[in-house]
Amino acid sequence: MTRTIRPSDDRGILLSAMDADDIAAMFAASHRKTYPAGSTIFSEGEPGSTVILIEEGRAEISMTALSGRKSVLAHMGPGEVLGEIAALDGGLRTADAVAASAVTGRVLSRENVMDFVSAHPPVARAVISALCSKVRNATDMYAVQAEPEGSARLARAMLRLFDQWGAASHDGVRLAERFSQSEIGEFCGLARENVNRHVKAWVASEVLRIDGRQLILLDRGALEVLAAG
């Protein structure tokens, strides 16, 4: 059976390569574990002996440079898998994963993953396609971080957050998760003060609205224009 991986499929390498029956079969040997908010799920440089299918909560994926500067690569939530790269190639973790909120997931050993993929050639071929998609996504993330104009960089990061975490409502698209301005700044390489300044300006121009601690996207077209620089 041929499995088609869409370049825009953001479910991750393993889940993009499998259907619901495959996922259930592979994770049948897993066990459930909960990580309290703020706790480390795994650290860069550790052996990648497990993958974690998130059931509840949000995990922050980041890297810290030798200078001490932290860069947030992604926020992952229910239905996504942590730790795929190291589990697939047998290498070390490539980034840190921290529970931004309490995270509950299904933990599966690398041995179980590799046994399942080896026994299912269509899944193995689909994993290769998903890995290529991952490389393309990494290129997009580099473009966000490399964008010299702060407002454009922030707008592109905000679009990614709304695409992944947004929920349509009567007054726009709400971020289902609460992201602090510091978290958003780390995601796009801006200081919290700069994020605050841009967000205030976009609220004034009715691109965004703030409801308590929740951000609402009112005008996607305007945000896309800002993202284009």
Side-chain angles (χ1 to χ4, degrees), residues 17 35 46-47 50 56 66 115 117 132 197-198 219:
Y35 302 85
E46 291 181 352
T50 59
E56 298 177 6
L66 292 177
D115 286 347
V117 172
C132 292
R197 176 168 55 85
H198 288 303
D219 190 340

Side-chain angles (χ1 to χ4, degrees), residues 126-186:
V127 164
I128 294 172
S129 295
L131 280 167
C132 292
S133 179
K134 186 92 170 178
V135 170
R136 294 178 187 273
N137 183 62
T139 301
D140 290 342
M141 283 301 302
Y142 176 77
V144 170
Q145 295 283 353
E147 171 60 56
E149 176 56 45
S151 62
R153 197 157 75 235
L154 177 59
R156 292 177 68 177
M158 294 288 285
L159 285 169
R160 289 181 64 87
L161 290 177
F162 277 107
D163 284 345
Q164 182 174 5
W165 298 94
S169 65
H170 68 281
D171 55 352
V173 179
R174 290 175 173 256
L175 278 183
E177 281 281 319
R178 291 180 176 178
F179 291 87
S180 70
Q181 292 185 349
S182 294
E183 287 179 311
I184 295 172
E186 289 170 345

Side-chain angles (χ1 to χ4, degrees), residues 2 5 113 118 133 157 220:
T2 300
I5 304 301
V113 173
S118 298
S133 179
R220 183 182 180 90

Side-chain angles (χ1 to χ4, degrees), residues 149 151-153 155-156 202 205 207 220-229:
E149 176 56 45
S151 62
R153 197 157 75 235
R156 292 177 68 177
W202 296 345
S205 59
V207 176
R220 183 182 180 90
L223 193 60
E224 289 176 340
V225 170
L226 290 164

Side-chain angles (χ1 to χ4, degrees), residues 4-11 16 133:
T4 301
I5 304 301
R6 303 186 304 277
S8 60
D9 198 328
D10 60 2
R11 294 176 298 161
S16 296
S133 179

Side-chain angles (χ1 to χ4, degrees), residues 64-102:
T64 302
L66 292 177
S67 64
R69 180 184 175 184
K70 174 182 170 183
S71 296
V72 176
L73 307 178
H75 295 271
M76 301 178 69
E80 296 184 286
V81 174
L82 294 172
E84 298 169 305
I85 298 296
L88 286 169
D89 71 3
L92 304 178
R93 300 294 192 194
T94 58
D96 300 323
V98 173
S101 62

